[in-house]
């Protein structure tokens, strides 16, 4: 019988200093490998996160898949035998390259890029307009098999759209992995933890969530089991790693006791609606 899939969630303060961010990623990869984890989930925009920079400076900081950030993540993945999920700002080739980038989740295994996801739900809420600097993706996030376990991925604001996670579950996801830079604000920390627990309960799946921690983001990277029980919470530690194993027998037992997936009568359609052109 295969050993349980062990997943680590990393948390750190992503800033405008790419070298500092990469140093944190390196430390967390080393710690995850030392803990015996197979997978490392890291925050949204871990490569470069605007704190005081202008929108244009943030776009200029974007890199492509041959840039130094991706090159180093691939090296760490290969060196430690880790599947790494990490957020970055990806340069867009063509006419939009000047004013917007892609909020991208990079998925690397064995040093190879196995998938990438461009955030489809842009954070145009709470007086913030992510769409001013980010071009939305058009494709649903992937569900990948890692050592026999199906893992579905998402980014930050996606968390507020339960239909997306139901689609991932429909594709066989047993684990929901979220990378975020969840903004601080009144009740925002409560929203983060409540929604994470809800996604676990309603999909009877594990949730592993990595959040950036800073003056802008709440931290509280967390792990929930398929019944919504808290397995780990990183609090507001500036460089933290929390770890848990995926017990597939636990998933089966919860889904037998609470067969909400089998009992449902409303299907969710797998389609991304285009964003209206406001230009």
């Amino acid at each position: 019988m295969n050993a349980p899939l062990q997943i680590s969630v990393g948390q750190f303060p992503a800033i405008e200093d790419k070298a500092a961010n990469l140093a944190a990623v390196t430390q967390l990869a080393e710690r995850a490998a030392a803990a015996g984890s197979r997978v490392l989930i890291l925050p949204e925009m871990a490569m470069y996160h605007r704190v005081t920079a202008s929108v244009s400076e943030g776009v200029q900081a974007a890199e492509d898949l041959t840039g130094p950030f991706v090159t180093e993540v691939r090296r760490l993945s290969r060196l430690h035998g880790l599947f790494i999920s990490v957020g970055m700002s990806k340069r867009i080739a063509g006419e939009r390259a000047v004013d917007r980038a892609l909020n991208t989740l990079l998925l690397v295994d064995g040093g190879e890029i196995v998938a990438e996801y461009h955030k489809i739900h842009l954070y145009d809420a709470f007086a913030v307009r992510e769409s001013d600097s980010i071009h939305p993706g058009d494709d649903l996030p992937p569900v990948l098999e890692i050592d026999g376990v199906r893992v579905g991925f998402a980014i930050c604001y996606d968390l507020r759209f339960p239909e997306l996670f139901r689609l991932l579950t429909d594709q066989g996801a047993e684990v929901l992995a979220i990378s975020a830079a969840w903004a601080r604000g009144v009740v925002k920390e409560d929203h983060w933890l409540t929604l994470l627990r809800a996604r676990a309960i309603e999909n009877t799946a594990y949730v592993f969530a990595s959040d950036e921690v800073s003056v802008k983001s709440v931290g509280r990277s967390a792990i929930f089991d398929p019944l919504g029980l808290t397995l780990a919470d990183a609090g507001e530690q500036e460089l933290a790693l929390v770890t848990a194993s995926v017990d597939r027998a636990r998933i089966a037992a919860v889904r037998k006791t609470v067969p909400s997936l089998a009992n449902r009568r409303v299907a969710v359609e797998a389609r991304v609606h285009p964003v209206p052109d406001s230009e």
Side-chain angles (χ1 to χ4, degrees), residues 71-118:
T71 299
E72 181 61 12
V73 169
R74 292 180 63 185
R75 186 190 72 82
L76 292 169
S77 169
R78 183 168 52 250
L79 174 66
H80 298 298
L82 283 170
F83 182 107
I84 299 177
S85 170
V86 63
M88 65 174 290
S89 179
K90 183 184 174 186
R91 183 176 295 125
I92 302 175
E95 60 180 291
R96 292 188 181 274
V98 175
D99 59 353
R100 287 197 287 182
L102 291 166
N103 184 334
T104 298
L105 192 62
L106 182 72
L107 305 170
V108 179
D109 193 13
E112 299 300 322
I113 300 170
V114 295
E116 56 180 303
Y117 164 56
H118 308 306

Side-chain angles (χ1 to χ4, degrees), residues 159-214:
L159 187 60
R160 292 185 180 273
F161 301 87
E163 63 275 16
L164 178 66
F165 292 86
R166 183 49 54 86
L167 289 171
L168 296 178
T169 306
D170 280 347
Q171 294 179 60
E174 301 159 292
V175 172
L176 303 170
I178 298 112
S179 294
W182 197 265
R184 291 184 181 273
V186 177
V187 308
K188 291 295 298 301
E189 186 172 315
D190 285 341
H191 285 193
W192 166 248
L193 294 173
T194 299
L195 291 170
L196 290 175
R197 179 175 282 110
R199 299 297 87 87
I201 293 170
E202 68 199 9
N203 293 294
T204 51
Y206 282 90
V207 165
F208 287 78
S210 171
D211 188 32
E212 191 252 336
V213 59
S214 69

Side-chain angles (χ1 to χ4, degrees), residues 9-248:
V9 171
Q11 172 174 294
F12 71 96
I15 55 176
E16 294 153 25
D17 185 339
K18 289 184 180 181
N21 295 339
L22 203 47
V25 169
T26 300
Q27 289 186 57
L28 291 169
E30 291 171 349
R31 288 172 57 179
S37 291
R38 173 71 175 88
V39 179
L40 174 61
I41 310 297
L42 293 169
E44 174 188 23
M45 290 295 193
M47 181 190 80
Y48 178 96
H49 190 202
R50 293 200 320 270
V51 178
T52 60
S54 66
V55 167
S56 62
E57 288 170 330
V59 173
Q60 290 168 13
E63 297 182 6
D64 57 32
L65 297 184
T66 61
F69 182 79
V70 175
T71 299
E72 181 61 12
V73 169
R74 292 180 63 185
R75 186 190 72 82
L76 292 169
S77 169
R78 183 168 52 250
L79 174 66
H80 298 298
L82 283 170
F83 182 107
I84 299 177
S85 170
V86 63
M88 65 174 290
S89 179
K90 183 184 174 186
R91 183 176 295 125
I92 302 175
E95 60 180 291
R96 292 188 181 274
V98 175
D99 59 353
R100 287 197 287 182
L102 291 166
N103 184 334
T104 298
L105 192 62
L106 182 72
L107 305 170
V108 179
D109 193 13
E112 299 300 322
I113 300 170
V114 295
E116 56 180 303
Y117 164 56
H118 308 306
K119 187 178 183 183
I120 58 175
H121 295 112
L122 299 188
Y123 185 56
D124 287 0
F126 291 94
V128 175
R129 280 190 54 83
E130 186 178 21
S131 61
D132 286 346
S133 60
I134 297 295
H135 183 65
D138 294 318
D139 297 317
L140 292 168
V143 175
L144 302 178
E145 186 169 311
I146 307 172
D147 296 356
V149 175
R150 300 278 289 172
V151 182
F153 297 87
I155 301 175
C156 201
Y157 192 47
D158 285 339
L159 187 60
R160 292 185 180 273
F161 301 87
E163 63 275 16
L164 178 66
F165 292 86
R166 183 49 54 86
L167 289 171
L168 296 178
T169 306
D170 280 347
Q171 294 179 60
E174 301 159 292
V175 172
L176 303 170
I178 298 112
S179 294
W182 197 265
R184 291 184 181 273
V186 177
V187 308
K188 291 295 298 301
E189 186 172 315
D190 285 341
H191 285 193
W192 166 248
L193 294 173
T194 299
L195 291 170
L196 290 175
R197 179 175 282 110
R199 299 297 87 87
I201 293 170
E202 68 199 9
N203 293 294
T204 51
Y206 282 90
V207 165
F208 287 78
S210 171
D211 188 32
E212 191 252 336
V213 59
S214 69
V215 295
K216 293 182 68 175
S217 303
V218 302
R220 301 299 299 273
S221 297
I223 303 171
F224 294 90
D225 90 338
L227 205 56
L229 301 178
T230 304
L231 300 182
D233 185 333
E236 293 192 354
Q237 298 178 72
E238 286 203 349
L239 188 67
L241 191 80
V242 291
T243 300
S245 292
V246 176
D247 184 348
R248 298 187 74 202

